[in-house]
């Protein structure tokens, strides 16, 4: 297929606001999973990957904002989107030619919770609550930056942001656009935390992906956006690509509403699609950023899937959710930015908190120094219902 370049990226998570701070944390092995500070939950025993900024502090960073109903989700998304646009040298005029595809699942639930607690009835409450669906979140994120050519919203649970990137790539392939900004944003909410806690898949300690004693995931929050661009557009604008989106795949095994299939069927299909689209063999991949939630089911299923795809020559694999927590709908784009950093800086993001191998599972990376040059890296994002997606990001000279 014609080259699709990534010409800009922005990221916000528990380990940093912006790429520079994020890279320092990744390379230093500093986790952002701590005791909750801003989420008003009674479950103080559950560690989370919170962004260490209040809503008011984010508003100061972004500039004056007099909308009292602005969601935390939108604030986080704006920080990441602003960096991505600046990174790609997109100004207000150029944005009119760019399309935005943004992903979320909880939308503006954080504001709904505040409003519901503060007002028992009334038209104002109902009107406010009606504005905080997922699509409204996309509009809120986009609003300060100008008029995008179009706005779209993707919501496929934990594969949402990856599927937003795939949607953007397909828009470029089909000639619908020359520039697409794609990614996702997700903030922590009580609805969010309580739902996962009801599923009994949250760890009361820092998560341990792919470890024998893994006990569940930690939830996190964050946002990231990639600027995807055709080769012709990037050349015309004179921007230097960060990397190439060389492959992508999406598949659904429909095995269960929440659990992954034991043999990772959907994951296998997604990874193989991505490899085929990139015209690569499994041995061409030098690093896999796994979905790696830390739950017994996911890590076993993903291990089997990776073994099926790569055979005996499994490349280095790690889960960076040990840094950020599981940022659900935003995780795919956040981890794609981590993969871009790995390509640019030639390091392996390590798998924190790993101590002993799980039965019949992969052994993740704990050494940041690659044994060979990183040229092609894979990023996995798997959602509830078996909606599984994979990306392959490549150095621009290959």
């Amino acid at each position: 297929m014609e080259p699709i370049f990534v010409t800009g990226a922005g990221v916000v998570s528990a380990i940093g606001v912006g790429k520079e701070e994020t890279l320092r944390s990744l390379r230093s092995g500093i986790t952002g999973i701590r005791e909750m500070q801003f989420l008003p939950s009674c479950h103080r025993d559950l560690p989370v990957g919170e962004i260490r900024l209040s809503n008011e502090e984010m508003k100061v960073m972004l500039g004056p904002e007099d909308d009292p109903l602005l969601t935390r989700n939108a604030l986080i998304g704006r920080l990441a989107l602003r960096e991505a646009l600046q990174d790609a040298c997109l100004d207000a005029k150029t944005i009119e030619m760019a399309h935005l595809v943004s992903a979320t699942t909880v939308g503006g639930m954080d504001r709904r919770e505040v409003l519901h607690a503060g007002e028992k009835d009334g038209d104002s409450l109902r009107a406010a609550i009606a504005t905080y669906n997922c699509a409204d979140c996309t509009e809120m994120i986009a609003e300060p930056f100008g008029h995008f050519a179009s706005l779209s919203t993707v919501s496929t649970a934990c594969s949402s942001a990856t599927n937003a990137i795939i949607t953007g790539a397909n828009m470029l392939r089909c000639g619908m656009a020359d520039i697409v900004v794609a990614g996702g944003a997700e903030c922590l909410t009580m609805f969010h935390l309580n739902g996962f806690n009801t599923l009994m898949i949250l760890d009361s300690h820092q998560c341990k992906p792919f470890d024998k004693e893994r006990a569940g995931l930690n939830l996190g929050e964050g946002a990231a956006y990639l600027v995807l661009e055709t080769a012709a557009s990037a050349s015309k604008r004179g921007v230097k690509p960060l990397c190439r989106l060389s492959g992508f795949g999406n598949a659904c095994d429909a095995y269960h509403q929440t659990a992954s299939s034991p043999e990772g069927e959907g994951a296998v299909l997604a990874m193989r699609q991505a490899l085929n689209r990139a015209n690569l063999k499994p041995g061409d991949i030098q690093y896999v950023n796994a979905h790696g939630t830390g739950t017994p089911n996911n890590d076993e299923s993903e291990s089997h899937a990776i073994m099926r795809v790569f055979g005996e020559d499994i490349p280095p694999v790690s889960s960076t959710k040990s840094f950020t927590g599981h940022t659900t709908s935003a995780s795919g784009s956040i981890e794609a930015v981590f993969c871009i950093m790995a390509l640019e800086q030639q390091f392996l993001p390590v798998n924190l908190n790993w101590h002993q191998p799980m039965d019949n599972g992969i052994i993740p990376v704990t050494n940041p120094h690659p044994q060979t040059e990183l040229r092609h890296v894979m990023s996995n994002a798997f959602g509830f219902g078996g909606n599984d997606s994979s990306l392959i990001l490549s150095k621009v000279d290959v």
Side-chain angles (χ1 to χ4, degrees), residues 4-15:
I4 295 174
F5 290 125
V6 179
T7 57
V11 64
V12 177
S13 74
I15 61 170

Side-chain angles (χ1 to χ4, degrees), residues 28 53 94 97 120 124 214 222 269 279 287 294 336:
S28 302
L53 292 171
T94 317
M97 299 181 291
K120 300 302 181 185
S124 60
R214 67 196 185 283
L269 292 171
N279 197 26
Y287 168 65

Side-chain angles (χ1 to χ4, degrees), residues 38-366:
F38 299 109
L39 187 66
S41 170
C42 63
H43 298 294
R44 311 301 298 180
D45 59 315
L46 296 173
V48 292
E50 268 185 324
I51 296 167
R52 296 288 145 172
L53 292 171
S54 68
N55 288 7
E56 293 306 314
E57 288 172 322
M58 284 191 279
K59 287 179 181 180
V60 170
M61 293 177 68
L62 288 162
E65 177 57 68
D66 59 2
D67 184 356
L69 302 181
L70 192 64
T71 66
R72 183 171 179 85
N73 208 340
L75 290 167
I76 295 170
R78 286 181 181 184
L79 286 172
L81 181 57
R82 181 175 68 176
E83 183 181 34
L85 297 176
Q86 291 174 347
D87 201 31
C89 300
L90 289 174
D91 56 23
K93 184 176 180 181
T94 317
I95 284 172
E96 294 179 358
M97 299 181 291
H99 302 253
L100 176 65
V101 183
S102 187
T104 187
T105 298
V106 303
M109 184 60 72
D110 61 306
R111 283 302 306 168
R112 296 185 196 188
E113 291 169 347
V114 171
L115 288 165
H116 187 268
E119 298 183 46
K120 300 302 181 185
D121 195 11
D123 292 340
S124 60
L125 173 62
R126 285 189 289 272
I129 287 176
T131 66
Y132 294 124
N133 58 46
C134 294
D136 280 300
C137 184
T138 299
E139 291 186 355
M140 277 190 177
I141 291 171
E143 185 179 13
F145 302 105
H147 298 286
F148 285 89
S150 71
L151 302 177
S152 301
T153 306
V154 174
S155 187
T156 57
C158 303
S159 58
S160 297
T162 298
N163 285 335
I165 293 168
I166 291 173
T167 299
N170 281 326
M171 291 172 70
L172 297 180
R173 289 176 61 225
C174 296
M176 295 173 61
D178 294 320
I179 305 172
V180 179
V181 186
E186 200 90 296
C187 71
L188 282 167
T189 68
M190 290 182 287
F191 167 82
H192 203 182
L193 187 77
N194 294 342
F196 276 84
N197 200 27
T198 299
L199 292 172
M200 296 185 289
I201 56 174
L202 295 182
D203 196 337
S204 59
H205 300 90
Q206 290 185 4
C207 65
K208 302 177 284 290
F210 300 110
D211 189 272
K212 183 177 182 179
E213 302 298 327
R214 67 196 185 283
L217 60 87
N218 308 131
L219 282 174
E221 63 183 358
Y225 291 93
L226 308 184
V227 178
L228 308 177
E229 196 161 354
T230 64
S233 177
S235 177
K236 181 179 179 181
R237 294 200 310 114
V239 291
K240 182 180 179 181
L242 304 178
C243 68
R244 184 162 55 90
L245 176 61
S246 55
F248 49 87
N250 168 259
C252 185
D253 58 26
Y255 171 76
H256 187 270
Q257 286 182 326
T258 57
S260 303
S261 64
E263 298 302 319
E265 192 64 33
V268 169
L269 292 171
M271 287 187 279
R272 285 178 175 166
Q273 279 184 30
L275 287 165
N276 290 338
R277 183 164 277 121
N279 197 26
L280 295 173
K281 298 177 181 178
D284 295 322
I285 303 297
Q286 288 84 37
Y287 168 65
V288 177
N289 186 288
H291 189 59
T293 61
T295 63
N297 172 250
N298 175 91
D299 292 5
E300 181 179 2
S301 174
E302 189 170 8
S303 285
H304 289 162
I306 289 172
M307 291 173 180
R308 287 175 62 187
V309 171
F310 292 96
E312 296 182 358
D313 297 319
I314 297 174
V317 179
S318 70
S319 169
T320 47
K321 289 180 177 64
S322 55
F323 283 87
T324 63
H326 189 357
T327 56
T328 54
S329 290
S331 61
S333 56
I334 290 172
E335 290 159 20
V337 175
F338 294 171
C339 287
I340 293 171
M341 292 177 177
L343 280 172
E344 289 181 322
Q345 302 295 323
Q346 290 293 301
F347 77 102
L348 297 171
V350 299
N351 198 113
L352 300 177
N353 307 321
W354 185 87
H355 299 291
Q356 53 185 325
M358 54 187 280
D359 295 336
N360 301 315
I362 63 167
I363 296 178
V365 170
T366 56

